[in-house]
Amino acid sequence: MMELNTFSIAARCPRTGRLGVAVASAVPAVGGLCPYIRAGIGAVTTQSWVNPYLALRILDGLAGGQRSDAALASAIETDDRPDLRQIGLVDAGGAAAAWTGAGCTAQAGHRTGAGYAVQGNMLAAPGVIDAMAEAFERSAACDLDERLMRVLEAGEDAGGDRRGKQSAALKIVAREDYPCLDLRVDEHAAPVAELRRVLAVARRQLVPFVAGMPRREGPAGALPEDVAAMLLRSPGERPGAAAAGALDPLHDIVGLPPEAVARVAHLHAQFAPVLAEIRTLRDLDLAAVHPPVVFDPSLPYRRVPHD
């Protein structure tokens, strides 16, 4: 039995009905043990001293018609050490529930809202959970993958796991039995920032491929020609790929460690809209609206005594 001290979210998109889990931890390969999702049923994340069977029993309960809180309670009753477990879930209708056992490593807690459950243990600060919940609530206009990514970033910015960082994952299921997105960073100095980078590549390369895959109901179809042509190229030649062999000036020249480089990339992404707006303002020609103000030091001026 492995103790996964993590922060995570289980959520549902009210516009698409998609279900997802995003999770980060200071242990490797967290995405292989925490997230459990069934299309049209629910999404569960199990952590602390992980018991995967609790997640499976919860999904069975939801499939059998139980409400989210009832499915959670029924599963917890089957466990011999519920005090060591932490679970968050949301059902296909968006009803959420969570459990944090008294034996989970502090700081530990959870918070539920419309369409989401956020939870964490061995956190660096008590504000991590609130920061995650608020990030999800503020991003209601975004797609589910972006909302989940922002939640992880908010959790990390608020302190995250007090031991540091090692892995992160993001998994989303739509209507099919296979995920429409399943991304994992299994071992990295800055896993959340790396997951953001992988997500950007996946949106350009993987998501179009998955969109052309066979469906449970309906014809198998065929991969669109443009997607097939894109995937026939080498990875370095595809949309969203970094230039092959290109130097990273911050790492390879300046000598910053990978975690610092990833942090710079994260901050650049956060402020990119602001920088774009500044560039737009600089290009505006306002001469017709207001004449330019020119200071000419050769002109006489009146001295104003200071108080």
Side-chain angles (χ1 to χ4, degrees):
M1 185 169 58
M2 177 183 290
E3 185 179 18
L4 292 187
N5 306 96
T6 73
F7 54 98
S8 65
I9 177 170
R12 174 186 179 271
C13 175
R15 290 182 286 108
T16 65
R18 292 184 172 188
L19 299 162
V21 170
V23 56
S25 182
V27 298
V30 69
L33 290 173
C34 283
Y36 294 83
I37 311 176
R38 275 187 215 165
I41 302 298
V44 186
T45 177
T46 173
Q47 53 202 53
S48 190
W49 290 101
V50 170
N51 183 348
Y53 292 104
L54 293 179
L56 299 175
R57 289 166 191 158
I58 288 170
L59 291 173
D60 287 342
L62 295 176
Q66 287 185 308
R67 292 173 51 88
S68 58
D69 52 355
L72 173 60
S74 296
I76 288 293
E77 288 177 358
T78 69
D79 193 74
D80 61 347
R81 291 302 307 271
D83 59 307
L84 298 178
R85 318 299 183 199
Q86 188 170 54
I87 298 171
L89 70 133
V90 64
D91 66 18
W99 166 268
T100 299
C104 292
T105 307
Q107 293 277 339
H110 61 259
R111 175 171 159 181
T112 62
Y116 74 89
V118 295
Q119 46 283 317
N121 60 89
M122 200 179 275
L123 299 174
V128 173
I129 297 298
D130 287 340
M132 294 169 65
E134 289 161 10
F136 186 78
E137 292 172 355
R138 286 196 307 267
S139 59
C142 300
D143 290 336
L144 185 59
D145 62 339
E146 180 64 22
R147 298 185 78 181
L148 297 182
M149 192 69 243
R150 291 188 185 188
V151 168
L152 288 189
E153 290 170 338
E156 180 169 271
D157 289 345
D161 190 316
R162 74 178 187 225
R163 298 163 302 167
K165 313 158 190 176
Q166 194 165 11
S167 68
L170 190 158
K171 185 173 184 177
I172 296 176
V173 171
R175 298 181 179 180
E176 307 303 320
D177 292 334
Y178 56 81
C180 59
L181 199 62
D182 190 358
L183 308 179
R184 303 180 187 183
V185 175
D186 286 341
E187 211 290 322
H188 197 276
V192 174
E194 176 65 5
L195 186 64
R196 166 64 80 178
R197 186 193 69 80
V198 173
L199 175 60
V201 175
R203 285 169 172 165
R204 303 288 299 277
Q205 301 181 23
L206 179 64
V207 171
F209 177 79
V210 174
M213 289 172 59
R215 300 291 187 257
R216 184 191 308 108
E217 299 175 359
L223 195 63
E225 291 184 6
D226 59 335
V227 178
M230 181 263 294
L231 293 175
L232 286 174
R233 304 176 199 164
S234 65
E237 297 174 344
R238 296 175 191 163
L247 289 176
D248 183 333
L250 293 178
H251 175 64
D252 300 318
I253 299 175
V254 178
L256 289 180
E259 185 171 2
V261 173
R263 180 63 178 166
V264 170
H266 168 69
L267 291 174
H268 185 272
Q270 295 294 310
F271 287 100
V274 177
L275 296 175
E277 187 68 20
I278 291 174
R279 285 192 293 271
T280 300
L281 293 173
R282 284 175 174 170
D283 292 338
L284 291 178
D285 184 0
L286 300 177
V289 179
H290 191 288
V293 177
V294 178
F295 172 70
D296 186 347
S298 67
L299 295 176
Y301 64 95
R302 180 168 58 89
R303 293 183 180 273
V304 179
H306 294 289
D307 293 336

